[in-house]
Amino acid sequence: MPFTLSPLPYASNALEPFFDQATMEIHHGKHHQAYVTNLNAALAGGPDAETPLETLLGKISSFPPAVRNNGGGHWNHNFFWQQLQLNNGAAPTGALAAAIEADLGGYDKLKEEFKKAATTRFGSGWAWLGVKEGKLLVCSSPNQDNPLMDISDCKCTPILGIDVWEHAYYLKYQNRRPDFVDAFWNVVNWDVVANRYAAAL
Ligand code: MN3
């Protein structure tokens, strides 16, 4: 079984009150675990059971939907957990802040564009902040697709992502996806995002 669920890098109540403990525990322990279990089942016995996940995503068009959905689900959730930390409303700083200003018109514009991408994604999916040819961009993808997939229409190196599946917010925010997106800015670990940005350049 090559793929495993890593523990959250903080306590499940560490992001209260913005991301509630019950949602975090179900989201990580049940939803993310299911992607891992189903990805391993989909690859079991085949030639790609040991292939690195990012390699699979880069040629995902050659795999059945179970690999696309669960491989995307596993990668996306790892990416999501790692970038979260209670930040007391802090804004990005340094080179990342300068790039947000230059490429997107500032942090308020980033929040506006990101919210638009997250709330207009019909059904389930993700919104992303990514780097393409040295510039920041905002986009979204359906289901568990992501910008690393060869089939993606928002191909880039993602540095920040939000899960807008109802399972990510329904217990606390019910149908209010826009409120969940607003709350998200209180739990972004900007050091992680800045490091991803530097690595993407
Ligand atoms: Mn999810």
Side-chain angles (χ1 to χ4, degrees):
M1 287 296 171
F3 296 109
T4 56
L5 182 68
S6 298
L8 287 172
Y10 33 70
S12 58
N13 66 356
L15 307 175
E16 290 272 8
F18 304 102
F19 285 13
D20 63 287
Q21 181 171 8
T23 297
M24 291 296 288
E25 288 177 354
I26 296 166
H27 196 177
H28 175 261
K30 304 295 182 189
H31 290 277
H32 187 175
Q33 178 66 64
Y35 297 122
V36 173
T37 302
N38 293 334
L39 177 61
N40 285 330
L43 294 172
D48 285 297
E50 306 287 333
T51 303
L53 185 51
E54 295 194 358
T55 305
L56 293 179
L57 298 178
K59 52 178 183 174
I60 204 69
S61 58
S62 60
F63 289 91
V67 177
R68 176 172 169 177
N69 293 336
N70 294 294
H74 181 38
W75 191 94
N76 293 348
H77 286 84
N78 276 338
F79 185 83
F80 187 64
W81 309 131
Q82 287 161 13
Q83 63 179 22
L84 301 179
Q85 181 180 58
L86 209 55
N87 71 15
N88 298 309
T93 58
L96 175 62
I100 290 169
E101 189 69 39
D103 298 342
L104 301 172
Y107 184 42
D108 286 344
K109 285 293 285 182
L110 161 63
K111 288 196 279 191
E112 191 182 310
E113 265 196 64
F114 198 82
K115 187 175 188 176
K116 190 174 164 200
T119 55
T120 59
R121 169 51 59 190
F122 184 76
S124 297
W126 292 72
W128 308 97
L129 172 66
V131 181
K132 186 175 190 172
E133 290 157 10
K135 300 266 191 205
L136 292 172
L137 63 87
V138 171
C139 60
S140 72
S141 55
N143 306 313
Q144 294 296 351
D145 286 0
N146 68 41
L148 304 182
M149 292 181 173
D150 58 348
I151 46 75
S152 179
D153 57 11
C154 74
K155 273 202 212 77
C156 61
T157 303
I159 64 170
L160 179 69
I162 187 170
D163 184 345
V164 295
W165 284 59
E166 283 187 345
H167 70 226
Y169 61 85
Y170 204 86
L171 288 181
K172 183 173 175 77
Y173 297 97
Q174 292 84 47
N175 60 315
R176 303 186 308 278
R177 188 189 291 186
D179 292 355
F180 167 67
V181 179
D182 289 341
F184 173 73
W185 300 110
N186 294 286
V187 296
V188 174
N189 183 331
W190 288 113
D191 290 339
V192 169
V193 182
N195 288 338
R196 288 173 177 173
Y197 175 67
L201 289 180

PDB file of all heavy atoms in Angstrom, residues 1-38:
ATOM      1  N   MET A   1       0.845  -1.203   0.000  1.00  0.00           N
ATOM      2  CA  MET A   1       0.000   0.000   0.000  1.00  0.00           C
ATOM      3  C   MET A   1       0.879   1.251   0.000  1.00  0.00           C
ATOM      4  O   MET A   1       1.320   1.702   1.053  1.00  0.00           O
ATOM      5  CB  MET A   1      -0.908  -0.003   1.240  1.00  0.00           C
ATOM      6  CG  MET A   1      -2.035  -1.012   1.149  1.00  0.00           C
ATOM      7  SD  MET A   1      -3.162  -0.617  -0.208  1.00  0.00           S
ATOM      8  CE  MET A   1      -4.165  -2.094  -0.213  1.00  0.00           C
ATOM      9  N   PRO A   2       1.193   1.786  -1.140  1.00  0.00           N
ATOM     10  CA  PRO A   2       2.162   2.890  -1.177  1.00  0.00           C
ATOM     11  C   PRO A   2       1.650   4.203  -0.608  1.00  0.00           C
ATOM     12  O   PRO A   2       2.427   4.969  -0.063  1.00  0.00           O
ATOM     13  CB  PRO A   2       2.477   3.039  -2.660  1.00  0.00           C
ATOM     14  CG  PRO A   2       1.322   2.433  -3.368  1.00  0.00           C
ATOM     15  CD  PRO A   2       0.742   1.393  -2.459  1.00  0.00           C
ATOM     16  N   PHE A   3       0.364   4.454  -0.725  1.00  0.00           N
ATOM     17  CA  PHE A   3      -0.148   5.759  -0.269  1.00  0.00           C
ATOM     18  C   PHE A   3      -0.774   5.616   1.115  1.00  0.00           C
ATOM     19  O   PHE A   3      -1.517   4.674   1.375  1.00  0.00           O
ATOM     20  CB  PHE A   3      -1.170   6.319  -1.265  1.00  0.00           C
ATOM     21  CG  PHE A   3      -0.548   6.602  -2.608  1.00  0.00           C
ATOM     22  CD1 PHE A   3      -0.850   5.809  -3.710  1.00  0.00           C
ATOM     23  CD2 PHE A   3       0.361   7.638  -2.764  1.00  0.00           C
ATOM     24  CE1 PHE A   3      -0.267   6.058  -4.944  1.00  0.00           C
ATOM     25  CE2 PHE A   3       0.951   7.896  -4.007  1.00  0.00           C
ATOM     26  CZ  PHE A   3       0.631   7.100  -5.092  1.00  0.00           C
ATOM     27  N   THR A   4      -0.438   6.562   1.992  1.00  0.00           N
ATOM     28  CA  THR A   4      -0.955   6.518   3.355  1.00  0.00           C
ATOM     29  C   THR A   4      -1.443   7.905   3.752  1.00  0.00           C
ATOM     30  O   THR A   4      -1.026   8.917   3.178  1.00  0.00           O
ATOM     31  CB  THR A   4       0.132   6.084   4.359  1.00  0.00           C
ATOM     32  OG1 THR A   4       1.249   6.965   4.225  1.00  0.00           O
ATOM     33  CG2 THR A   4       0.587   4.652   4.105  1.00  0.00           C
ATOM     34  N   LEU A   5      -2.306   7.948   4.744  1.00  0.00           N
ATOM     35  CA  LEU A   5      -2.825   9.212   5.269  1.00  0.00           C
ATOM     36  C   LEU A   5      -1.863   9.716   6.345  1.00  0.00           C
ATOM     37  O   LEU A   5      -1.662   9.055   7.362  1.00  0.00           O
ATOM     38  CB  LEU A   5      -4.211   9.000   5.869  1.00  0.00           C
ATOM     39  CG  LEU A   5      -4.899  10.250   6.416  1.00  0.00           C
ATOM     40  CD1 LEU A   5      -5.279  11.208   5.287  1.00  0.00           C
ATOM     41  CD2 LEU A   5      -6.128   9.878   7.236  1.00  0.00           C
ATOM     42  N   SER A   6      -1.270  10.887   6.125  1.00  0.00           N
ATOM     43  CA  SER A   6      -0.425  11.494   7.153  1.00  0.00           C
ATOM     44  C   SER A   6      -1.302  12.167   8.194  1.00  0.00           C
ATOM     45  O   SER A   6      -2.379  12.675   7.862  1.00  0.00           O
ATOM     46  CB  SER A   6       0.487  12.562   6.531  1.00  0.00           C
ATOM     47  OG  SER A   6       1.338  11.973   5.588  1.00  0.00           O
ATOM     48  N   PRO A   7      -0.840  12.193   9.457  1.00  0.00           N
ATOM     49  CA  PRO A   7      -1.614  12.933  10.459  1.00  0.00           C
ATOM     50  C   PRO A   7      -1.673  14.413  10.106  1.00  0.00           C
ATOM     51  O   PRO A   7      -0.780  14.923   9.412  1.00  0.00           O
ATOM     52  CB  PRO A   7      -0.833  12.728  11.761  1.00  0.00           C
ATOM     53  CG  PRO A   7       0.342  11.893  11.445  1.00  0.00           C
ATOM     54  CD  PRO A   7       0.389  11.608   9.976  1.00  0.00           C
ATOM     55  N   LEU A   8      -2.685  15.102  10.580  1.00  0.00           N
ATOM     56  CA  LEU A   8      -2.712  16.556  10.432  1.00  0.00           C
ATOM     57  C   LEU A   8      -1.480  17.133  11.111  1.00  0.00           C
ATOM     58  O   LEU A   8      -1.080  16.659  12.177  1.00  0.00           O
ATOM     59  CB  LEU A   8      -3.968  17.140  11.097  1.00  0.00           C
ATOM     60  CG  LEU A   8      -5.302  16.910  10.391  1.00  0.00           C
ATOM     61  CD1 LEU A   8      -6.446  17.377  11.290  1.00  0.00           C
ATOM     62  CD2 LEU A   8      -5.344  17.633   9.054  1.00  0.00           C
ATOM     63  N   PRO A   9      -0.894  18.196  10.544  1.00  0.00           N
ATOM     64  CA  PRO A   9       0.314  18.780  11.157  1.00  0.00           C
ATOM     65  C   PRO A   9       0.006  19.712  12.329  1.00  0.00           C
ATOM     66  O   PRO A   9       0.839  20.538  12.690  1.00  0.00           O
ATOM     67  CB  PRO A   9       0.965  19.527   9.985  1.00  0.00           C
ATOM     68  CG  PRO A   9      -0.134  19.821   9.035  1.00  0.00           C
ATOM     69  CD  PRO A   9      -1.171  18.738   9.219  1.00  0.00           C
ATOM     70  N   TYR A  10      -1.179  19.595  12.909  1.00  0.00           N
ATOM     71  CA  TYR A  10      -1.613  20.407  14.063  1.00  0.00           C
ATOM     72  C   TYR A  10      -2.811  19.684  14.663  1.00  0.00           C
ATOM     73  O   TYR A  10      -3.343  18.734  14.070  1.00  0.00           O
ATOM     74  CB  TYR A  10      -2.016  21.824  13.625  1.00  0.00           C
ATOM     75  CG  TYR A  10      -2.642  21.866  12.248  1.00  0.00           C
ATOM     76  CD1 TYR A  10      -3.912  21.332  12.031  1.00  0.00           C
ATOM     77  CD2 TYR A  10      -1.945  22.359  11.147  1.00  0.00           C
ATOM     78  CE1 TYR A  10      -4.470  21.311  10.763  1.00  0.00           C
ATOM     79  CE2 TYR A  10      -2.496  22.332   9.872  1.00  0.00           C
ATOM     80  CZ  TYR A  10      -3.756  21.806   9.693  1.00  0.00           C
ATOM     81  OH  TYR A  10      -4.297  21.755   8.431  1.00  0.00           O
ATOM     82  N   ALA A  11      -3.257  20.135  15.829  1.00  0.00           N
ATOM     83  CA  ALA A  11      -4.433  19.525  16.453  1.00  0.00           C
ATOM     84  C   ALA A  11      -5.676  19.821  15.614  1.00  0.00           C
ATOM     85  O   ALA A  11      -5.741  20.843  14.921  1.00  0.00           O
ATOM     86  CB  ALA A  11      -4.609  20.068  17.861  1.00  0.00           C
ATOM     87  N   SER A  12      -6.664  18.925  15.698  1.00  0.00           N
ATOM     88  CA  SER A  12      -7.859  19.094  14.868  1.00  0.00           C
ATOM     89  C   SER A  12      -8.687  20.315  15.281  1.00  0.00           C
ATOM     90  O   SER A  12      -9.537  20.768  14.523  1.00  0.00           O
ATOM     91  CB  SER A  12      -8.721  17.833  14.912  1.00  0.00           C
ATOM     92  OG  SER A  12      -9.086  17.543  16.244  1.00  0.00           O
ATOM     93  N   ASN A  13      -8.416  20.872  16.470  1.00  0.00           N
ATOM     94  CA  ASN A  13      -9.131  22.088  16.884  1.00  0.00           C
ATOM     95  C   ASN A  13      -8.276  23.345  16.730  1.00  0.00           C
ATOM     96  O   ASN A  13      -8.665  24.421  17.172  1.00  0.00           O
ATOM     97  CB  ASN A  13      -9.631  21.962  18.329  1.00  0.00           C
ATOM     98  CG  ASN A  13      -8.488  21.889  19.337  1.00  0.00           C
ATOM     99  OD1 ASN A  13      -7.317  21.864  18.953  1.00  0.00           O
ATOM    100  ND2 ASN A  13      -8.829  21.831  20.609  1.00  0.00           N
ATOM    101  N   ALA A  14      -7.132  23.213  16.068  1.00  0.00           N
ATOM    102  CA  ALA A  14      -6.167  24.326  16.004  1.00  0.00           C
ATOM    103  C   ALA A  14      -6.659  25.486  15.148  1.00  0.00           C
ATOM    104  O   ALA A  14      -6.122  26.591  15.250  1.00  0.00           O
ATOM    105  CB  ALA A  14      -4.824  23.823  15.469  1.00  0.00           C
ATOM    106  N   LEU A  15      -7.652  25.232  14.304  1.00  0.00           N
ATOM    107  CA  LEU A  15      -8.099  26.272  13.372  1.00  0.00           C
ATOM    108  C   LEU A  15      -9.449  26.858  13.782  1.00  0.00           C
ATOM    109  O   LEU A  15     -10.059  27.626  13.033  1.00  0.00           O
ATOM    110  CB  LEU A  15      -8.164  25.713  11.950  1.00  0.00           C
ATOM    111  CG  LEU A  15      -6.883  25.032  11.462  1.00  0.00           C
ATOM    112  CD1 LEU A  15      -7.094  24.415  10.085  1.00  0.00           C
ATOM    113  CD2 LEU A  15      -5.706  25.993  11.439  1.00  0.00           C
ATOM    114  N   GLU A  16      -9.909  26.498  14.982  1.00  0.00           N
ATOM    115  CA  GLU A  16     -11.141  27.083  15.530  1.00  0.00           C
ATOM    116  C   GLU A  16     -10.961  28.587  15.709  1.00  0.00           C
ATOM    117  O   GLU A  16      -9.850  29.018  16.047  1.00  0.00           O
ATOM    118  CB  GLU A  16     -11.453  26.454  16.899  1.00  0.00           C
ATOM    119  CG  GLU A  16     -11.897  24.997  16.832  1.00  0.00           C
ATOM    120  CD  GLU A  16     -13.416  24.840  16.638  1.00  0.00           C
ATOM    121  OE1 GLU A  16     -14.103  25.869  16.413  1.00  0.00           O
ATOM    122  OE2 GLU A  16     -13.889  23.703  16.709  1.00  0.00           O
ATOM    123  N   PRO A  17     -11.990  29.391  15.556  1.00  0.00           N
ATOM    124  CA  PRO A  17     -13.352  28.990  15.217  1.00  0.00           C
ATOM    125  C   PRO A  17     -13.617  28.963  13.713  1.00  0.00           C
ATOM    126  O   PRO A  17     -14.748  28.711  13.315  1.00  0.00           O
ATOM    127  CB  PRO A  17     -14.183  30.112  15.858  1.00  0.00           C
ATOM    128  CG  PRO A  17     -13.332  31.336  15.672  1.00  0.00           C
ATOM    129  CD  PRO A  17     -11.894  30.843  15.812  1.00  0.00           C
ATOM    130  N   PHE A  18     -12.608  29.211  12.905  1.00  0.00           N
ATOM    131  CA  PHE A  18     -12.838  29.384  11.462  1.00  0.00           C
ATOM    132  C   PHE A  18     -13.115  28.042  10.784  1.00  0.00           C
ATOM    133  O   PHE A  18     -14.042  27.921  10.004  1.00  0.00           O
ATOM    134  CB  PHE A  18     -11.653  30.107  10.829  1.00  0.00           C
ATOM    135  CG  PHE A  18     -11.388  31.423  11.496  1.00  0.00           C
ATOM    136  CD1 PHE A  18     -10.352  31.569  12.413  1.00  0.00           C
ATOM    137  CD2 PHE A  18     -12.213  32.513  11.252  1.00  0.00           C
ATOM    138  CE1 PHE A  18     -10.127  32.774  13.058  1.00  0.00           C
ATOM    139  CE2 PHE A  18     -12.000  33.724  11.890  1.00  0.00           C
ATOM    140  CZ  PHE A  18     -10.952  33.860  12.802  1.00  0.00           C
ATOM    141  N   PHE A  19     -12.256  27.063  11.073  1.00  0.00           N
ATOM    142  CA  PHE A  19     -12.497  25.686  10.632  1.00  0.00           C
ATOM    143  C   PHE A  19     -12.736  24.880  11.903  1.00  0.00           C
ATOM    144  O   PHE A  19     -11.824  24.722  12.718  1.00  0.00           O
ATOM    145  CB  PHE A  19     -11.286  25.125   9.874  1.00  0.00           C
ATOM    146  CG  PHE A  19     -11.093  25.633   8.472  1.00  0.00           C
ATOM    147  CD1 PHE A  19     -11.776  26.741   7.968  1.00  0.00           C
ATOM    148  CD2 PHE A  19     -10.203  24.976   7.620  1.00  0.00           C
ATOM    149  CE1 PHE A  19     -11.576  27.195   6.668  1.00  0.00           C
ATOM    150  CE2 PHE A  19     -10.000  25.416   6.317  1.00  0.00           C
ATOM    151  CZ  PHE A  19     -10.670  26.517   5.843  1.00  0.00           C
ATOM    152  N   ASP A  20     -13.946  24.370  12.073  1.00  0.00           N
ATOM    153  CA  ASP A  20     -14.304  23.705  13.321  1.00  0.00           C
ATOM    154  C   ASP A  20     -13.727  22.298  13.414  1.00  0.00           C
ATOM    155  O   ASP A  20     -13.465  21.643  12.404  1.00  0.00           O
ATOM    156  CB  ASP A  20     -15.830  23.672  13.457  1.00  0.00           C
ATOM    157  CG  ASP A  20     -16.454  22.865  12.338  1.00  0.00           C
ATOM    158  OD1 ASP A  20     -16.480  23.350  11.191  1.00  0.00           O
ATOM    159  OD2 ASP A  20     -16.885  21.721  12.602  1.00  0.00           O
ATOM    160  N   GLN A  21     -13.570  21.869  14.653  1.00  0.00           N
ATOM    161  CA  GLN A  21     -12.918  20.585  14.935  1.00  0.00           C
ATOM    162  C   GLN A  21     -13.655  19.406  14.299  1.00  0.00           C
ATOM    163  O   GLN A  21     -13.016  18.510  13.729  1.00  0.00           O
ATOM    164  CB  GLN A  21     -12.825  20.391  16.452  1.00  0.00           C
ATOM    165  CG  GLN A  21     -12.142  19.087  16.841  1.00  0.00           C
ATOM    166  CD  GLN A  21     -11.859  18.990  18.332  1.00  0.00           C
ATOM    167  OE1 GLN A  21     -12.304  19.826  19.118  1.00  0.00           O
ATOM    168  NE2 GLN A  21     -11.116  17.973  18.713  1.00  0.00           N
ATOM    169  N   ALA A  22     -14.982  19.397  14.381  1.00  0.00           N
ATOM    170  CA  ALA A  22     -15.725  18.247  13.840  1.00  0.00           C
ATOM    171  C   ALA A  22     -15.509  18.132  12.337  1.00  0.00           C
ATOM    172  O   ALA A  22     -15.279  17.035  11.804  1.00  0.00           O
ATOM    173  CB  ALA A  22     -17.208  18.385  14.164  1.00  0.00           C
ATOM    174  N   THR A  23     -15.559  19.264  11.643  1.00  0.00           N
ATOM    175  CA  THR A  23     -15.324  19.231  10.195  1.00  0.00           C
ATOM    176  C   THR A  23     -13.914  18.744   9.900  1.00  0.00           C
ATOM    177  O   THR A  23     -13.714  17.906   9.010  1.00  0.00           O
ATOM    178  CB  THR A  23     -15.544  20.634   9.589  1.00  0.00           C
ATOM    179  OG1 THR A  23     -16.904  21.007   9.784  1.00  0.00           O
ATOM    180  CG2 THR A  23     -15.219  20.641   8.093  1.00  0.00           C
ATOM    181  N   MET A  24     -12.938  19.254  10.642  1.00  0.00           N
ATOM    182  CA  MET A  24     -11.551  18.840  10.393  1.00  0.00           C
ATOM    183  C   MET A  24     -11.383  17.338  10.590  1.00  0.00           C
ATOM    184  O   MET A  24     -10.724  16.664   9.801  1.00  0.00           O
ATOM    185  CB  MET A  24     -10.589  19.605  11.315  1.00  0.00           C
ATOM    186  CG  MET A  24     -10.458  21.080  10.992  1.00  0.00           C
ATOM    187  SD  MET A  24      -9.747  21.404   9.353  1.00  0.00           S
ATOM    188  CE  MET A  24      -8.038  20.924   9.636  1.00  0.00           C
ATOM    189  N   GLU A  25     -11.988  16.800  11.644  1.00  0.00           N
ATOM    190  CA  GLU A  25     -11.809  15.371  11.935  1.00  0.00           C
ATOM    191  C   GLU A  25     -12.483  14.488  10.876  1.00  0.00           C
ATOM    192  O   GLU A  25     -11.913  13.490  10.439  1.00  0.00           O
ATOM    193  CB  GLU A  25     -12.336  15.057  13.339  1.00  0.00           C
ATOM    194  CG  GLU A  25     -11.385  15.639  14.384  1.00  0.00           C
ATOM    195  CD  GLU A  25     -11.847  15.448  15.823  1.00  0.00           C
ATOM    196  OE1 GLU A  25     -12.977  14.948  16.047  1.00  0.00           O
ATOM    197  OE2 GLU A  25     -11.067  15.828  16.723  1.00  0.00           O
ATOM    198  N   ILE A  26     -13.670  14.880  10.446  1.00  0.00           N
ATOM    199  CA  ILE A  26     -14.371  14.089   9.426  1.00  0.00           C
ATOM    200  C   ILE A  26     -13.693  14.265   8.066  1.00  0.00           C
ATOM    201  O   ILE A  26     -13.492  13.299   7.319  1.00  0.00           O
ATOM    202  CB  ILE A  26     -15.857  14.503   9.355  1.00  0.00           C
ATOM    203  CG1 ILE A  26     -16.562  14.177  10.674  1.00  0.00           C
ATOM    204  CG2 ILE A  26     -16.555  13.809   8.180  1.00  0.00           C
ATOM    205  CD1 ILE A  26     -17.918  14.835  10.830  1.00  0.00           C
ATOM    206  N   HIS A  27     -13.319  15.497   7.787  1.00  0.00           N
ATOM    207  CA  HIS A  27     -12.714  15.801   6.485  1.00  0.00           C
ATOM    208  C   HIS A  27     -11.396  15.034   6.317  1.00  0.00           C
ATOM    209  O   HIS A  27     -11.157  14.403   5.282  1.00  0.00           O
ATOM    210  CB  HIS A  27     -12.483  17.321   6.394  1.00  0.00           C
ATOM    211  CG  HIS A  27     -12.234  17.837   5.021  1.00  0.00           C
ATOM    212  ND1 HIS A  27     -12.062  19.171   4.755  1.00  0.00           N
ATOM    213  CD2 HIS A  27     -12.110  17.212   3.821  1.00  0.00           C
ATOM    214  CE1 HIS A  27     -11.849  19.333   3.460  1.00  0.00           C
ATOM    215  NE2 HIS A  27     -11.879  18.160   2.874  1.00  0.00           N
ATOM    216  N   HIS A  28     -10.572  15.083   7.345  1.00  0.00           N
ATOM    217  CA  HIS A  28      -9.282  14.394   7.271  1.00  0.00           C
ATOM    218  C   HIS A  28      -9.435  12.879   7.474  1.00  0.00           C
ATOM    219  O   HIS A  28      -8.996  12.076   6.644  1.00  0.00           O
ATOM    220  CB  HIS A  28      -8.322  14.989   8.318  1.00  0.00           C
ATOM    221  CG  HIS A  28      -7.010  14.268   8.410  1.00  0.00           C
ATOM    222  ND1 HIS A  28      -6.745  13.323   9.380  1.00  0.00           N
ATOM    223  CD2 HIS A  28      -5.894  14.353   7.644  1.00  0.00           C
ATOM    224  CE1 HIS A  28      -5.516  12.861   9.205  1.00  0.00           C
ATOM    225  NE2 HIS A  28      -4.974  13.470   8.167  1.00  0.00           N
ATOM    226  N   GLY A  29     -10.075  12.499   8.554  1.00  0.00           N
ATOM    227  CA  GLY A  29     -10.101  11.088   8.943  1.00  0.00           C
ATOM    228  C   GLY A  29     -11.018  10.217   8.102  1.00  0.00           C
ATOM    229  O   GLY A  29     -10.788   9.002   7.995  1.00  0.00           O
ATOM    230  N   LYS A  30     -12.044  10.820   7.516  1.00  0.00           N
ATOM    231  CA  LYS A  30     -12.996  10.033   6.708  1.00  0.00           C
ATOM    232  C   LYS A  30     -12.858  10.333   5.209  1.00  0.00           C
ATOM    233  O   LYS A  30     -12.625   9.425   4.416  1.00  0.00           O
ATOM    234  CB  LYS A  30     -14.439  10.309   7.159  1.00  0.00           C
ATOM    235  CG  LYS A  30     -14.699  10.059   8.622  1.00  0.00           C
ATOM    236  CD  LYS A  30     -14.556   8.593   9.007  1.00  0.00           C
ATOM    237  CE  LYS A  30     -14.888   8.387  10.486  1.00  0.00           C
ATOM    238  NZ  LYS A  30     -14.554   7.037  10.946  1.00  0.00           N
ATOM    239  N   HIS A  31     -13.009  11.595   4.835  1.00  0.00           N
ATOM    240  CA  HIS A  31     -12.971  11.915   3.402  1.00  0.00           C
ATOM    241  C   HIS A  31     -11.578  11.687   2.810  1.00  0.00           C
ATOM    242  O   HIS A  31     -11.428  10.993   1.806  1.00  0.00           O
ATOM    243  CB  HIS A  31     -13.430  13.354   3.159  1.00  0.00           C
ATOM    244  CG  HIS A  31     -14.880  13.560   3.411  1.00  0.00           C
ATOM    245  ND1 HIS A  31     -15.853  13.270   2.479  1.00  0.00           N
ATOM    246  CD2 HIS A  31     -15.539  14.008   4.511  1.00  0.00           C
ATOM    247  CE1 HIS A  31     -17.053  13.536   2.988  1.00  0.00           C
ATOM    248  NE2 HIS A  31     -16.887  13.990   4.221  1.00  0.00           N
ATOM    249  N   HIS A  32     -10.567  12.279   3.432  1.00  0.00           N
ATOM    250  CA  HIS A  32      -9.213  12.106   2.876  1.00  0.00           C
ATOM    251  C   HIS A  32      -8.796  10.632   2.945  1.00  0.00           C
ATOM    252  O   HIS A  32      -8.240  10.093   1.988  1.00  0.00           O
ATOM    253  CB  HIS A  32      -8.211  13.008   3.616  1.00  0.00           C
ATOM    254  CG  HIS A  32      -6.846  13.022   2.994  1.00  0.00           C
ATOM    255  ND1 HIS A  32      -5.839  13.843   3.432  1.00  0.00           N
ATOM    256  CD2 HIS A  32      -6.309  12.302   1.971  1.00  0.00           C
ATOM    257  CE1 HIS A  32      -4.741  13.634   2.694  1.00  0.00           C
ATOM    258  NE2 HIS A  32      -5.008  12.702   1.809  1.00  0.00           N
ATOM    259  N   GLN A  33      -9.105   9.979   4.047  1.00  0.00           N
ATOM    260  CA  GLN A  33      -8.777   8.551   4.157  1.00  0.00           C
ATOM    261  C   GLN A  33      -9.414   7.749   3.024  1.00  0.00           C
ATOM    262  O   GLN A  33      -8.797   6.823   2.475  1.00  0.00           O
ATOM    263  CB  GLN A  33      -9.236   7.995   5.503  1.00  0.00           C
ATOM    264  CG  GLN A  33      -8.966   6.487   5.666  1.00  0.00           C
ATOM    265  CD  GLN A  33      -7.481   6.154   5.700  1.00  0.00           C
ATOM    266  OE1 GLN A  33      -6.775   6.561   6.610  1.00  0.00           O
ATOM    267  NE2 GLN A  33      -6.999   5.424   4.687  1.00  0.00           N
ATOM    268  N   ALA A  34     -10.631   8.102   2.648  1.00  0.00           N
ATOM    269  CA  ALA A  34     -11.313   7.367   1.579  1.00  0.00           C
ATOM    270  C   ALA A  34     -10.585   7.541   0.244  1.00  0.00           C
ATOM    271  O   ALA A  34     -10.477   6.584  -0.540  1.00  0.00           O
ATOM    272  CB  ALA A  34     -12.762   7.831   1.457  1.00  0.00           C
ATOM    273  N   TYR A  35     -10.065   8.738  -0.016  1.00  0.00           N
ATOM    274  CA  TYR A  35      -9.304   8.927  -1.258  1.00  0.00           C
ATOM    275  C   TYR A  35      -8.057   8.043  -1.263  1.00  0.00           C
ATOM    276  O   TYR A  35      -7.699   7.451  -2.289  1.00  0.00           O
ATOM    277  CB  TYR A  35      -8.913  10.405  -1.442  1.00  0.00           C
ATOM    278  CG  TYR A  35     -10.091  11.341  -1.589  1.00  0.00           C
ATOM    279  CD1 TYR A  35     -10.278  12.409  -0.710  1.00  0.00           C
ATOM    280  CD2 TYR A  35     -11.036  11.162  -2.599  1.00  0.00           C
ATOM    281  CE1 TYR A  35     -11.375  13.264  -0.824  1.00  0.00           C
ATOM    282  CE2 TYR A  35     -12.131  12.004  -2.718  1.00  0.00           C
ATOM    283  CZ  TYR A  35     -12.292  13.059  -1.827  1.00  0.00           C
ATOM    284  OH  TYR A  35     -13.378  13.889  -1.945  1.00  0.00           O
ATOM    285  N   VAL A  36      -7.387   7.968  -0.121  1.00  0.00           N
ATOM    286  CA  VAL A  36      -6.177   7.142  -0.026  1.00  0.00           C
ATOM    287  C   VAL A  36      -6.517   5.667  -0.246  1.00  0.00           C
ATOM    288  O   VAL A  36      -5.887   4.971  -1.050  1.00  0.00           O
ATOM    289  CB  VAL A  36      -5.501   7.348   1.351  1.00  0.00           C
ATOM    290  CG1 VAL A  36      -4.349   6.370   1.532  1.00  0.00           C
ATOM    291  CG2 VAL A  36      -5.016   8.793   1.500  1.00  0.00           C
ATOM    292  N   THR A  37      -7.534   5.202   0.453  1.00  0.00           N
ATOM    293  CA  THR A  37      -7.946   3.795   0.337  1.00  0.00           C
ATOM    294  C   THR A  37      -8.345   3.452  -1.094  1.00  0.00           C
ATOM    295  O   THR A  37      -7.930   2.428  -1.653  1.00  0.00           O
ATOM    296  CB  THR A  37      -9.139   3.539   1.288  1.00  0.00           C
ATOM    297  OG1 THR A  37      -8.732   3.858   2.621  1.00  0.00           O
ATOM    298  CG2 THR A  37      -9.602   2.087   1.214  1.00  0.00           C
ATOM    299  N   ASN A  38      -9.122   4.334  -1.694  1.00  0.00           N
ATOM    300  CA  ASN A  38      -9.628   4.064  -3.040  1.00  0.00           C
ATOM    301  C   ASN A  38      -8.544   4.212  -4.103  1.00  0.00           C
ATOM    302  O   ASN A  38      -8.568   3.514  -5.120  1.00  0.00           O
ATOM    303  CB  ASN A  38     -10.814   4.975  -3.346  1.00  0.00           C
ATOM    304  CG  ASN A  38     -12.016   4.647  -2.469  1.00  0.00           C
ATOM    305  OD1 ASN A  38     -12.160   3.517  -1.995  1.00  0.00           O
ATOM    306  ND2 ASN A  38     -12.860   5.627  -2.215  1.00  0.00           N
TER     307      ASN A  38
END
